[in-house]
Amino acid sequence: MHFLSERARKFIAIEERYGAHTYDPLDLVVDHAEGVWLWDVDGRRYLDCVSAYSALNQGHRHPRIHAALVEQANRVTLTSRAMYNEQMPRFLERLTRLTGYDMALPTNTGVEAVETAIKLARRWGYAVKGIARETAEIIVFSGNFHGRTIAAVSASTTPEYRREFGPFAPGFIPIPYGDADALERAITPNTCAILIEPIQGEAGVIVPPAGYLKRAWAVCREHDVLFVADEIQTGLGRTGDLFACDYEGVKPDVLLLGKALGGGFYPVSATLATTTVMGLLQPGEHGSTFGGNPLACAVAQAALDVIVDEGLVARARYAGAKIMQGLRAIASPLITEIRGRGLLIGVQLAVPARRLSEALLERGVAAKDTHEYVLRIAPPLVIDDAELGYLLERLGDALAALPANP
Ligand SMILES: *Cc1c(COP(=O)(O)O)cnc(C)c1O
């Protein structure tokens, strides 16, 4: 906290006083932002390597998304689904064409897409697969993160996400991540779906073994089980593919998107599926007051356009490789492993990651620890070569400045 100004300290104190303490933020009070850069209330500049956990793939305040937001805000912002609006059809058409799915269900936050998928998978299990009512099982994976609702934490294996929040929703079967044999063994006649992150972001950027996703997908098809991919964090270019599942040529039955779908301006999420699956939902069975609102749909179309038109998928692949290469060249004895894909990078350290995070903050880089010994580096995909150079130089300096003792 030593370099915080009086002014910054005051904001933090007020938040601590009046806000629930559910996060452990960096000592950084942001005043404004643009592209990959953040400025704090004292005018200091930081390269944003958090990117709101991948919700800022297009960078801060992208002008094209900003323009779409303002234009729509001047027309109509909210209708509810009690009537039609002219943005939602455009958004649905754009999104399904880009992703290759038949239908989409728009919601707001990521966890709502997760909830939608759970309902959809269970419905499919009963209506199509013929599972006996109330007995459907969804296989989930140790270390998963699918959000914070009761259903999502019912699926979690992380103690602090669950402690004293029970009773939990039944029907989630946790198995080890990355082990296709364990998946095959866990499937029963009651299994309707697996719910899987193609790379586990919150768990510390855990990349499964090569071929795992492809095998898991084949196992699902063989046993008539839906493959539900949570690409809320990995999707929309982050990992150097449009979707992380593309890397292994896997086409999920149900695809969940959020975060970057809102282009850093607005919460937008979606659940995508074939007509056979999505068509099982009837009027009145699921919904959200704000889901598919015209402001969200205008923003999301622009958010998708920016990813495609600016070649951000290829950019993520290129920039990610540069950072990995640069990190290896730094050859710090404090780094025990570098993993990830594209611009979703986890640096496993021999010392608590919070120390590196603080050293970076002093040098103008905002990066957050995830779990105790992993630093996540995930800048906006619009990062340019000069900004990559800036980042690698600061990483080298910060690592060199850290004491080696654990
Ligand atoms: C962030 C995230 C969620 C939840 O999204 P919210 O918008 O915070 O509800 C779900 N799954 C994954 C993989 C995520 O990274």
Side-chain angles (χ1 to χ4, degrees):
M1 291 263 296
H2 60 278
F3 69 99
L4 276 176
S5 69
E6 199 54 39
R7 198 169 134 72
R9 268 175 223 276
K10 220 170 247 168
F11 284 117
I12 292 172
I14 295 169
E15 180 167 319
E16 292 281 306
R17 163 65 183 80
Y18 295 105
H21 298 171
T22 49
Y23 282 86
D24 181 22
L26 299 171
D27 288 326
L28 169 58
V29 183
V30 177
D31 178 78
H32 64 281
E34 189 179 341
V36 302
W37 298 104
L38 301 164
W39 281 265
D40 71 11
V41 291
D42 301 303
R44 279 177 304 215
R45 190 177 75 147
Y46 306 82
L47 199 151
D48 185 0
C49 285
V50 180
S51 300
Y53 304 107
S54 286
L56 285 159
N57 286 3
Q58 302 89 341
H60 289 272
R61 297 192 306 113
H62 193 289
R64 197 162 158 195
I65 310 172
H66 183 270
L69 175 98
V70 170
E71 193 183 317
Q72 191 58 40
N74 286 331
R75 288 171 168 272
V76 59
T77 52
L78 183 62
T79 55
S80 86
R81 297 291 301 280
M83 56 197 79
Y84 294 94
N85 68 71
E86 63 165 323
Q87 289 303 334
M88 189 168 128
R90 290 189 173 128
F91 166 58
L92 294 174
E93 193 171 40
R94 179 86 185 82
L95 181 64
T96 52
R97 281 217 179 130
L98 179 70
T99 57
Y101 287 86
D102 297 334
M103 297 174 92
L105 192 154
T107 38
N108 311 287
T109 61
V111 77
E112 288 173 89
V114 172
E115 293 274 342
T116 303
I118 292 167
K119 286 187 182 175
L120 201 53
R122 287 177 171 180
R123 168 61 56 83
W124 176 86
Y126 302 131
V128 177
K129 190 169 175 176
I131 297 171
R133 292 273 168 90
E134 307 297 313
T135 64
E137 293 167 357
I138 296 176
I139 293 173
V140 295
F141 298 86
S142 54
N144 74 67
F145 181 81
H146 299 294
R148 302 297 196 167
T149 60
I150 283 293
V153 298
S154 296
S156 173
T157 62
T158 306
E160 67 264 37
Y161 298 167
R162 295 169 58 96
R163 195 179 64 87
E164 293 177 355
F165 290 148
F168 298 104
F172 296 103
I173 314 294
I175 65 166
Y177 185 64
D179 180 347
D181 294 328
L183 171 60
E184 190 141 35
R185 284 195 300 273
I187 290 175
T188 75
N190 291 343
T191 307
C192 63
I194 71 167
L195 171 60
I196 189 164
E197 298 159 87
I199 293 176
Q200 291 186 328
E202 295 307 301
V205 191
I206 309 297
V207 182
Y212 168 69
L213 292 175
K214 195 163 199 140
R215 221 184 117 221
W217 188 43
V219 166
C220 283
R221 279 188 300 177
E222 197 179 314
H223 295 273
D224 203 17
V225 166
L226 296 178
F227 186 106
V228 181
D230 180 346
E231 293 240 24
I232 291 165
Q233 184 162 156
T234 53
L236 300 174
R238 171 56 58 186
T239 65
D241 284 289
L242 186 57
F243 303 111
C245 283
D246 295 349
Y247 186 80
E248 294 205 351
V250 169
K251 170 93 186 183
D253 298 293
V254 180
L255 178 70
L256 310 183
L257 299 179
K259 294 199 165 115
L261 191 54
F265 281 87
Y266 202 84
V268 188
S269 61
T271 305
L272 289 136
T274 57
T275 306
T276 4
V277 177
M278 195 63 89
L280 296 169
L281 294 180
Q282 301 297 318
E285 291 185 337
H286 190 54
S288 153
T289 304
F290 287 88
N293 74 72
L295 191 62
C297 291
V299 164
Q301 287 169 75
L304 293 173
D305 287 345
V306 165
I307 287 169
V308 174
D309 296 349
E310 297 192 6
L312 295 188
V313 179
R315 185 76 212 163
R317 192 180 295 194
Y318 163 86
K322 284 272 175 219
I323 294 175
M324 292 240 198
Q325 211 175 63
L327 276 169
R328 294 210 172 89
I330 290 169
S332 165
L334 299 181
I335 297 179
T336 57
E337 195 190 353
I338 302 162
R339 52 180 185 251
R341 198 174 294 142
L343 282 174
L344 184 57
I345 297 169
V347 183
Q348 185 84 38
L349 296 162
V351 296
R354 193 65 187 229
R355 287 193 212 158
L356 179 55
S357 161
E358 281 167 8
L360 283 168
L361 203 57
E362 287 174 34
R363 290 165 177 79
V365 173
K368 190 95 172 62
D369 47 303
T370 169
H371 293 259
E372 215 186 330
Y373 291 94
V374 184
L375 188 83
R376 180 164 38 189
I377 300 176
L381 314 187
V382 295
I383 189 166
D384 71 20
D385 286 358
E387 292 156 349
L388 282 171
Y390 172 103
L391 172 59
L392 285 168
E393 193 184 311
R394 269 50 178 196
L395 276 165
D397 288 353
L399 281 160
L402 283 189
N405 61 308

